């Protein structure tokens, strides 16, 4: 295997494929990138065993030859070291050559590096086949949807299903759901899917897809019984699904509410951020006290003190209500809605409440309150 390549293009490709490669692993092979040079161009693949990224770098990009003087072949090489070498080496072009199937030589006019390589056969076999339910979404729609729900996935591994975003098809709808047990985010899209599906896609996988999206107008993905494959221009992202039944959340969202608060998003978030400085034990608990004439945001700590702020722009319906909640959960939900005003609907002081964008009923955020004494 041998080629000369434009350094900047090579580096961009390496940075994409190497994102999931661990620097240390119980399986040392995972710390390597797989490089394959064929007649179409260079394929670079990285994996951590769960998420895999394959990036394709064509020989010609925008009428400019990127790769030349080629001898086809392949090799495994340490992901971190290769990326760092290409990042730090000077010059517009670098030469890459495999010697005796075991040594990788990287050089230009000023520098010469040698890395130990590994034969391709040692790399994990990764299935990038396009199989399963086929879905196509506008890139903007996909990005907005994932941002509106993925923040609510659990960061703890004791219930693996909750670290995923559940995607379910329902006749002409795609329903995206995320919950960590204390909050829930749900988004519905009017999309026709060619077959029924119910899949748990790791939240980390979806974040990698968001990081990779650049200027594509649409994103295609395939969901089978064991994996999901995202197709992005010259990049494929494949991930295993999280097995097990996702919690049934359909009946969690209340149908009727007795209290309603319409409020400016920025004003409420800013008020919560200021008073939460006094939140007890840094648990970020704040309290909303509401009636038709006054809305008050407060927090207190016997050790530190207390803070109170009044909201000036609001509309409240219902009797007087006090409710306490995790400030960070409410802030994240409001920011995910990305709208000027939000509507918060309450059932009672210890009942879950919803946060909505009144101009978009396709997305709903649900928060569980906390008890304070």
């Amino acid at each position: 295997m041998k080629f000369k390549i434009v350094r900047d293009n090579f580096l961009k490709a390496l940075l994409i494929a190497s994102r999931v490669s661990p620097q240390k692993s119980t399986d040392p092979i995972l710390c390597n990138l797989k490089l394959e040079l064929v007649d179409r161009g260079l394929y670079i693949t990285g994996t951590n065993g769960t998420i895999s990224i394959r990036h394709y770098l064509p020989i010609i990009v925008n009428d400019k030859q990127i790769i030349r003087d080629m001898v086809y072949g392949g090799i495994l090489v340490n992901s971190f070291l290769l990326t760092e070498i290409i990042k730090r080496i000077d010059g517009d072009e670098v030469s890459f050559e495999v010697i005796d199937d075991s040594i990788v030589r990287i050089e230009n006019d000023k520098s010469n590096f040698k890395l130990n390589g590994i034969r391709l056969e040692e790399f994990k076999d990764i299935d990038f086949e396009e199989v399963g339910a086929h879905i196509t979404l506008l890139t903007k729609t996909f990005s907005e949807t994932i941002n509106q729900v993925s923040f609510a996935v659990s960061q703890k591994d004791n219930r693996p299903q909750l670290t995923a975003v559940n995607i379910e098809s329902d006749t002409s709808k795609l329903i995206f759901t995320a919950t960590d047990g204390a909050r829930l985010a749900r988004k519905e899209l009017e999309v026709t899917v060619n077959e029924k599906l119910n899949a748990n896609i790791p939240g980390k996988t979806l974040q990698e897809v968001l990081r990779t999206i650049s200027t594509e107008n649409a994103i295609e993905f395939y969901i089978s019984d064991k994996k999901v494959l995202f197709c992005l221009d010259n990049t494929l992202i494949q991930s295993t699904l999280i097995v097990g039944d996702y919690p049934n959340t359909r009946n969690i969202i209340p149908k009727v509410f007795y209290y309603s608060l319409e409020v400016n998003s920025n004003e409420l978030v800013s008020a919560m951020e200021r008073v939460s400085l006094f939140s007890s034990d840094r648990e970020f608990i704040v309290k909303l006290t509401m009636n038709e004439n006054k809305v008050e945001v407060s927090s207190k700590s016997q050790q530190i003190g207390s803070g109170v702020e009044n909201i000036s722009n609001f509309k409240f319906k219902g009797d007087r209500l006090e409710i306490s909640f995790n400030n960070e959960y409410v802030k994240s939900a409001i920011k995910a809605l990305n709208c000027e005003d939000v509507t918060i609907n309450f059932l009672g002081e210890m009942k879950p409440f919803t946060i909505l964008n009144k101009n978009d009923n396709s997305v709903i955020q649900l928060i569980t309150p906390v008890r304070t004494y």
Side-chain angles (χ1 to χ4, degrees):
M1 180 183 186
K2 181 180 180 181
F3 59 87
K4 291 182 179 179
I5 189 167
V6 175
R7 173 190 166 277
D8 287 349
N9 295 80
F10 194 22
L11 179 59
K12 290 177 182 177
L14 290 172
L15 289 173
I16 292 172
S18 67
R19 284 209 309 263
V20 295
S21 300
Q23 289 192 35
K24 294 181 180 180
S25 174
T26 54
D27 182 358
I29 294 298
L30 298 180
C31 301
N32 293 271
L33 289 176
K34 178 182 180 181
L35 278 72
E36 293 179 284
L37 183 65
V38 297
D39 57 356
R40 294 185 65 240
L42 180 65
Y43 288 88
I44 307 174
T45 306
T47 184
N48 61 13
T50 300
I51 308 173
S52 304
I53 299 178
R54 186 175 77 180
H55 184 77
Y56 163 62
L57 187 58
I59 295 172
I60 297 176
V61 177
N62 296 329
D63 298 326
K64 178 181 178 181
Q65 186 166 357
I66 301 301
I67 309 171
R68 63 185 182 90
D69 297 347
M70 296 172 289
V71 176
Y72 303 145
I75 194 72
L76 307 185
V77 62
N78 184 275
S79 173
F80 174 77
L81 290 176
L82 174 60
T83 304
E84 287 299 309
I85 287 172
I86 301 303
K87 186 184 297 183
R88 302 182 190 195
I89 199 170
D90 287 333
D92 296 330
E93 188 179 64
V94 295
S95 175
F96 185 103
E97 182 178 7
V98 178
I99 304 170
D100 296 331
D101 294 330
S102 61
I103 302 295
V104 175
R105 182 167 64 195
I106 303 164
E107 63 181 353
N108 63 9
D109 295 339
K110 297 181 180 180
S111 307
N112 187 303
F113 299 90
K114 289 182 179 179
L115 295 175
N116 292 329
I118 303 174
R119 293 178 180 271
L120 287 181
E121 294 76 18
E122 299 296 322
F123 200 73
K124 176 183 177 181
D125 186 25
I126 301 170
D127 179 13
F128 287 104
E129 187 179 359
E130 298 174 353
V131 294
H134 178 212
I135 303 165
T136 301
L137 295 176
L138 293 176
T139 301
K140 181 181 178 182
T141 301
F142 177 84
S143 300
E144 288 178 349
T145 298
I146 301 307
N147 284 325
Q148 286 173 337
V149 300
S150 64
F151 71 92
V153 302
S154 176
Q155 302 304 313
K156 300 177 181 179
D157 294 329
N158 55 334
R159 296 181 66 186
Q161 291 89 349
L162 299 190
T163 65
V165 172
N166 176 262
I167 299 183
E168 181 182 7
S169 64
D170 181 9
T171 59
S172 61
K173 290 182 180 179
L174 265 184
I175 304 170
F176 295 72
T177 306
T179 180
D180 60 6
R183 55 181 169 173
L184 177 144
R186 175 177 291 165
K187 171 78 172 184
E188 294 186 358
L189 293 178
E190 299 289 338
V191 178
T192 300
V193 184
N194 60 354
E195 59 185 270
K196 193 172 181 62
L197 65 88
N198 191 322
N200 303 325
I201 302 179
K204 292 180 180 179
T205 298
L206 294 170
Q207 291 304 313
E208 284 299 333
V209 176
L210 290 184
R211 291 177 64 187
T212 307
I213 289 174
S214 54
T215 58
E216 294 89 352
N217 293 322
I219 177 172
E220 291 185 79
F221 54 106
Y222 299 80
I223 302 177
S224 61
D225 57 340
K226 294 182 179 179
K227 70 165 189 175
V228 58
L229 177 70
F230 293 92
C231 305
L232 295 161
D233 199 11
N234 290 334
T235 304
L236 299 178
I237 300 179
Q238 186 258 55
S239 172
T240 57
L241 300 176
I242 296 178
V243 298
D245 294 332
Y246 199 78
N248 185 355
T249 61
R250 286 184 173 272
N251 298 321
I252 292 178
I253 300 173
K255 302 290 192 299
V256 178
F257 297 95
Y258 303 130
Y259 313 85
S260 176
L261 173 66
E262 292 185 22
V263 64
N264 178 268
S265 302
N266 291 331
E267 185 178 4
L268 180 58
V269 167
S270 297
M272 290 191 299
E273 287 177 338
R274 286 189 287 270
V275 301
S276 66
L277 291 170
F278 298 94
S279 180
S280 176
D281 300 323
R282 307 305 297 165
E283 293 177 350
F284 306 107
I285 305 303
V286 302
K287 181 169 71 174
L288 265 180
T289 304
M290 299 163 283
N291 60 43
E292 290 185 352
N293 301 313
K294 186 178 182 180
V295 172
E296 183 180 275
V297 185
S298 63
S299 69
K300 66 179 179 179
S301 167
Q302 291 183 351
Q303 292 78 26
I304 304 172
S306 62
V308 179
E309 286 229 7
N310 291 319
I311 301 296
S312 56
N313 299 307
F314 69 90
K315 183 187 296 183
F316 180 76
K317 295 179 181 179
D319 298 329
R320 184 180 186 277
L321 176 67
E322 290 186 358
I323 191 165
S324 299
F325 49 79
N326 184 307
N327 166 61
E328 294 299 313
Y329 287 178
V330 172
K331 279 170 46 182
S332 297
I334 291 175
K335 290 179 179 179
L337 291 176
N338 191 29
C339 56
E340 185 176 351
D341 299 302
V342 292
T343 300
I344 309 178
N345 295 317
F346 305 94
L347 192 58
E349 65 177 20
M350 286 309 300
K351 301 292 185 180
F353 58 93
T354 62
I355 306 176
L356 308 169
N357 173 359
K358 64 181 181 181
N359 297 319
D360 181 7
N361 59 10
S362 69
V363 60
I364 187 168
Q365 313 285 357
L366 182 79
I367 309 290
T368 303
V370 297
R371 188 179 301 279
T372 56
Y373 298 94

